[in-house]
Amino acid sequence: MADAIVPAFVLRNLADKLYEKRKNAALEIEGIVKQLTIAGEHDKITAIINLLTTEFTYSQQANHRKQGGLIGLAAATVGLTSEAAQHLEQIVPPVLNSFLDQDSRVRYYACEALYNIAKVVRGEFIVYFNQIFDALCKLSADCDVNVQSAAHLLDRLVKDIVTESDQFSIEEFIPLLRERMNVLNPYVRQFLVGWITVLDSVPDIDMLGFLPDFLDGLFNMLSDSSHEIRQQADSALSEFLQEIKNSPNVDYGRMAEILVQRAGSPDEFTRLTAITWINEFVKLGGDQLVPYYADILGAILPCISDKEEKIRVVARETNEELRSIRADPGEGFDIGAILSIARRELTSEWEATRIEALHWIATLLARHRAEVISYLNDIFGSLLSALSDPSDEVVLLVLEVLACIAKDAPHFRHLVVFLIHNFRSDHSLLEKRGALIVRRLCVLLDAERVYREFSTILEGEDDLDFASIMVQALNLILLTSSELADLRALLKQSLVNVAGKDLFISLYASWCHSAMATISLCLLAQAYQHASSVIQSLGEEDINVKFLVQLDKLIRLMETPIFAYLRLQLLEPGKYTWLLKALYGLLMLLPQQSAAFQILRNRLKTVPSIAFNTDQLKRASSGNPYSQILPVSEDIIRNQDSGNMHNAINFASRLQQFEHMQNRHRMHAKLQQQSRKATSSTLSQTLLAHPLDLHGILDSFNIEHAIYI
């Protein structure tokens, strides 16, 4: 039927190599179709389109496809004019199929043909938009430059048609756009950004409402190697952010999830853009963002320590904004999730991030104490681990948080128990941070309360070596720290004040783990007679290197302002006889060649002499150790260390307590020595049993080990 309508020469000329013949043939078809349209003979028009499709567009011969079919379909559409819409279902699919042809010339003519078809039908072909868009997306990255150029021309026309059409469906288009946003080809990316920008400029198309669907793709483009693509993506994002600021209805939640991921991008520009968006979201989002606070915080905290200053500034501002917002668990505010983020960031390699994580825990404690305490088991270990942080500021903040937790009595004991456990398992923590930790806790939680709790726990400590070390550390802090001045003042009143007496007895129980700590405590409490008794009770096993090192420290401390009162008491040797005896006792324990011996001897040389007579001597206590050294005044008997409340403290019982504890330490030391001997004996037997390996074994040790063996 179509063959009878279209002359044979016209069909031959459609596939001719000469452009003029093809052009004339197309004009012939246009004329024929136009006449049929006027006559209303659409069946014949359908037959002609079928002929062009089957014989030319789908032909195996390239010339038929690229020259005959495509130019013929375009000509037929022009002939149809306003009636073309009812035949588009026949015309458009063969043209779209030609976009996939392996021959670049066919793809080129397909672009040309669809361009001419689109000019005629305009908005009528919107129903094929997704298919046309998909084809143009692929052609934008075509390997043939001419095809790319033709596709760009067609693309501009399609954009014009879409922007003026009221039939375009953004809902149907978004899934295709979302799928294509993952493509990495730079030409395709430019094509996509171009379409997003154009569609966003159309007032009747709500691209902002669908922004979460393609936002991640735009952020992907910010790290593209092409500067132009990065610029285009940034421009599009900036426009959308401005629209968000001006829009009352925005889906912040879905976009927040995307931004959180992008804030951790290795690309600096992407991180900056993401954190900038998060900053605006925190200011604008309100209740919508409450469920996402933990995720947002997880993105902000690492950025606070970013190497790029711009990112750090925005991150800090965002962090402050977020922390200033007050939300309750009933509103979806997940305290547990935020605590989890803060705990995770306590192990960050960056100090600024660790500090802000601690500020968050402190803030939550202040606002939602009961809820935070319910998560105590989850965060307590991390907080204690942070006490080993190399930063003093971090450690001080940790202590503030711990002190806040420890305001309740059960948690207070829990804290001290865990601190002692940490000190026991990590001696370097005690050595490097012990003084800082204890001093700060004394300021935050009351020094007397802290020291009483430490003493109570250490009194029953099974690890005797650790207990001795810990007590010595606490004693040194007590004697030297300005924060504990009030505690020292209270202890000085131990013999005349009930509160001082109770504190002295409380500390004494654990101070017995260390002979030198016990002596120091007695000197501080002015219990000089008991100090002398403790010194007298020491046996040869107690006078070891560790003891002498501690004694050396004490002698040097006695020359500091803290013990100024004690040195001034030496001006009244008759009144403070037992002080003199105690100091001379310490002097006798020191090696004469040591510096401490010289310091103490020189000090005792400055003690003034007081004349006495035989009668006064008889009145003196028969136990007076200085009756042959110093004259005794009339005040000796009246002002012995016994004092008004000497009997209030049962010093005999205290001495038994001290001796019992020291016996435990001696037994422990003997067991350790026996264990070492047994180990050494076993090693010796092993070496003797394998004489051939002896030389090799010795070679594997350094000289000190070899000599020891």
Side-chain angles (χ1 to χ4, degrees):
M1 177 181 177
D3 293 346
I5 300 172
V6 182
F9 78 90
V10 173
L11 297 175
R12 286 196 303 272
N13 287 341
L14 274 176
D16 199 279
K17 294 181 179 180
L18 295 176
Y19 172 74
E20 286 298 323
K21 288 186 177 183
R22 295 199 305 276
K23 179 180 178 182
N24 290 331
L27 291 173
E28 288 287 340
I29 291 176
E30 179 185 337
I32 293 169
V33 172
K34 187 177 293 186
Q35 291 176 0
L36 292 173
T37 302
I38 294 171
E41 297 185 62
H42 285 280
D43 290 343
K44 291 181 178 180
I45 295 173
T46 298
I48 293 173
I49 294 173
N50 285 336
L51 173 66
L52 293 171
T53 300
T54 55
E55 297 297 326
F56 290 89
T57 307
Y58 292 132
S59 171
Q60 296 297 316
Q61 298 181 38
N63 283 343
H64 281 64
R65 296 198 307 276
K66 66 187 177 185
Q67 296 165 357
L70 293 169
I71 196 172
L73 289 173
T77 305
V78 173
L80 282 164
T81 58
S82 61
E83 301 291 327
Q86 60 184 298
H87 293 281
L88 283 180
E89 190 175 346
Q90 290 175 279
I91 296 171
V92 174
V95 178
L96 292 175
N97 184 68
S98 298
F99 285 141
L100 303 175
D101 200 286
Q102 293 183 351
D103 191 324
S104 62
R105 296 296 292 169
V106 174
R107 299 195 298 276
Y108 176 84
Y109 281 111
C111 291
E112 184 182 77
L114 192 59
Y115 181 89
N116 291 323
I117 294 168
K119 283 177 66 178
V120 174
V121 299
R122 303 296 291 185
E124 297 294 341
F125 90 142
I126 288 295
V127 292
Y128 295 101
F129 175 76
N130 276 14
Q131 294 167 268
I132 295 170
F133 179 87
D134 194 35
L136 287 173
C137 187
K138 295 171 183 175
L139 291 177
S140 64
D142 199 280
C143 57
D144 189 284
V145 177
N146 292 324
V147 175
Q148 282 190 28
S149 298
H152 290 160
L153 289 173
L154 175 60
D155 180 53
R156 284 199 290 270
L157 176 60
V158 175
K159 284 174 180 172
D160 289 341
I161 294 171
V162 169
T163 54
E164 65 188 26
S165 173
D166 57 358
Q167 299 178 26
F168 175 74
S169 174
I170 184 66
E171 291 82 2
E172 294 178 6
F173 169 63
I174 287 298
L176 176 61
L177 176 63
R178 181 173 60 237
E179 180 184 340
R180 290 290 176 266
M181 290 299 286
N182 294 321
V183 177
L184 300 179
N185 187 284
Y187 296 107
V188 175
R189 282 184 162 182
Q190 281 185 307
F191 171 81
L192 294 172
V193 176
W195 267 101
I196 290 171
T197 304
V198 166
L199 293 176
D200 187 48
S201 67
V202 181
D204 295 334
I205 298 177
D206 181 23
M207 284 294 281
L208 183 60
F210 294 95
L211 181 57
D213 291 286
F214 55 87
L215 180 64
D216 193 52
L218 282 175
F219 267 93
N220 255 333
M221 296 179 190
L222 291 176
S223 58
D224 196 278
S225 57
S226 167
H227 175 72
E228 186 177 356
I229 293 174
R230 292 199 303 273
Q231 206 168 35
Q232 289 176 347
D234 180 49
S235 178
L237 286 168
S238 298
E239 185 62 33
F240 277 119
L241 185 57
Q242 190 59 45
E243 291 177 30
I244 288 171
K245 293 178 182 178
N246 300 327
S247 175
N249 300 311
V250 178
D251 184 0
Y252 290 101
R254 285 180 60 198
M255 289 189 286
E257 294 176 355
I258 296 169
L259 298 175
V260 164
Q261 295 296 322
R262 291 297 164 186
S265 170
D267 179 69
E268 181 181 299
F269 187 49
T270 303
R271 291 199 308 279
L272 176 59
T273 307
I275 204 70
T276 302
W277 274 61
I278 291 175
N279 180 271
E280 295 296 337
F281 275 28
V282 169
K283 295 175 182 176
L284 302 169
D287 295 341
Q288 280 195 53
L289 284 179
V290 171
Y292 301 94
Y293 277 0
D295 293 334
I296 291 173
L297 181 63
I300 292 172
L301 290 180
C303 288
I304 285 174
S305 302
D306 200 278
K307 61 182 179 181
E308 174 55 45
E309 183 180 2
K310 292 180 181 178
I311 296 175
R312 294 198 302 272
V313 170
V314 178
R316 285 190 175 280
E317 179 185 329
T318 309
N319 184 57
E320 293 305 318
E321 286 281 348
L322 190 64
R323 192 157 50 212
S324 66
I325 299 172
R326 292 182 174 271
D328 295 320
E331 301 171 353
F333 185 63
D334 193 340
I335 293 175
I338 292 182
L339 283 173
S340 179
I341 293 295
R343 182 185 63 182
R344 182 189 73 192
E345 295 304 330
L346 285 178
T347 59
S348 168
E349 61 178 311
W350 305 109
E351 178 184 352
T353 294
R354 300 196 299 274
I355 288 172
E356 289 307 319
L358 287 165
H359 281 311
W360 266 98
I361 296 175
T363 299
L364 292 176
L365 266 171
R367 295 178 185 173
H368 310 283
R369 180 177 179 81
E371 290 83 355
V372 174
I373 293 298
S374 68
Y375 292 99
L376 189 57
N377 289 337
D378 297 330
I379 64 172
F380 206 70
S382 299
L383 288 170
L384 288 172
S385 296
L387 290 174
S388 301
D389 197 278
S391 165
D392 284 351
E393 186 175 357
V394 170
V395 174
L396 291 173
L397 279 172
V398 172
L399 291 171
E400 287 186 19
V401 172
L402 290 172
C404 185
I405 293 171
K407 287 179 180 178
D408 304 328
H411 298 129
F412 176 77
R413 182 170 180 82
H414 194 52
L415 168 60
V416 179
V417 167
F418 268 88
L419 272 178
I420 290 176
H421 172 76
N422 276 25
F423 286 144
R424 185 193 304 113
S425 58
D426 183 7
H427 283 198
S428 64
L429 175 63
L430 177 60
E431 180 183 344
K432 297 176 182 177
R433 296 291 189 193
L436 177 64
I437 292 170
V438 174
R439 288 166 57 191
R440 189 59 184 163
L441 285 180
C442 286
V443 172
L444 297 169
L445 293 173
D446 179 62
E448 182 177 351
R449 185 185 179 198
V450 170
Y451 261 72
R452 281 179 178 273
E453 195 66 40
F454 268 117
S455 182
T456 300
I457 297 170
L458 288 171
E459 182 183 356
E461 175 62 45
D462 293 327
D463 187 343
L464 297 181
D465 290 333
F466 165 72
S468 177
I469 294 171
M470 187 71 205
V471 164
Q472 289 167 16
L474 290 171
N475 183 64
L476 185 62
I477 296 167
L478 173 63
L479 294 178
T480 59
S481 300
S482 58
E483 295 88 345
L484 276 73
D486 291 343
L487 198 63
R488 290 195 295 271
L490 183 58
L491 282 169
K492 288 177 186 176
Q493 302 297 314
S494 297
L495 300 182
V496 293
N497 180 290
V498 175
K501 179 201 74 171
D502 289 343
L503 178 59
F504 175 83
I505 293 173
S506 175
L507 297 187
Y508 192 95
S510 62
W511 258 237
C512 288
H513 280 293
S514 168
M516 191 48 57
T518 305
I519 295 168
S520 302
L521 182 65
C522 292
L523 293 178
L524 190 60
Q526 303 188 70
Y528 301 134
Q529 183 175 354
H530 187 64
S532 179
S533 299
V534 168
I535 294 169
Q536 292 285 351
S537 73
L538 297 176
E540 61 178 274
E541 295 175 345
D542 302 316
I543 315 302
N544 51 36
V545 174
K546 292 180 181 179
F547 176 85
L548 292 175
V549 169
Q550 292 296 314
L551 178 54
D552 183 277
K553 290 181 181 179
L554 175 60
I555 299 305
R556 295 177 188 277
L557 281 172
M558 286 167 55
E559 296 298 315
T560 64
I562 291 172
F563 279 105
Y565 72 93
L566 184 149
R567 298 196 301 274
L568 290 174
Q569 288 172 352
L570 293 176
L571 293 173
E572 302 177 81
K575 184 178 180 180
Y576 296 100
T577 307
W578 290 108
L579 170 59
L580 280 168
K581 181 175 181 181
L583 294 181
Y584 269 101
L586 294 179
L587 184 68
M588 295 304 126
L589 295 177
L590 285 166
Q592 292 190 38
Q593 67 273 22
S594 66
F597 179 88
Q598 299 298 328
I599 293 171
L600 182 55
R601 186 176 66 172
N602 290 339
R603 174 61 63 185
L604 290 173
K605 283 181 179 179
T606 62
V607 175
S609 299
I610 299 178
F612 65 97
N613 56 41
T614 306
D615 293 336
Q616 290 172 331
L617 180 60
K618 290 179 181 179
R619 293 175 59 189
S621 171
S622 59
N624 181 359
Y626 300 104
S627 58
Q628 298 179 15
I629 301 175
L630 296 171
V632 182
S633 71
E634 290 288 340
D635 296 331
I636 289 180
I637 301 301
R638 295 194 303 271
N639 299 304
Q640 282 290 333
D641 293 47
S642 54
N644 295 329
M645 290 187 62
H646 183 76
N647 294 325
I649 299 177
N650 189 339
F651 283 109
S653 177
R654 299 283 80 77
L655 186 59
Q656 289 178 357
Q657 187 178 20
F658 172 76
E659 290 176 341
H660 173 71
M661 185 66 76
Q662 288 301 303
N663 282 331
R664 286 183 61 195
H665 278 268
R666 293 186 192 107
M667 291 299 297
H668 175 67
K670 287 179 180 178
L671 289 174
Q672 283 187 321
Q673 188 175 10
Q674 290 173 1
S675 177
R676 284 195 295 269
K677 286 182 178 179
T679 303
S680 177
S681 176
T682 302
L683 178 59
S684 299
Q685 291 175 7
T686 302
L687 293 175
L688 291 173
H690 302 279
L692 293 177
D693 296 330
L694 178 59
H695 184 71
I697 292 173
L698 290 176
D699 284 345
S700 67
F701 288 82
N702 57 29
I703 295 174
E704 288 79 7
H705 285 118
I707 292 173
Y708 174 75
I709 292 171

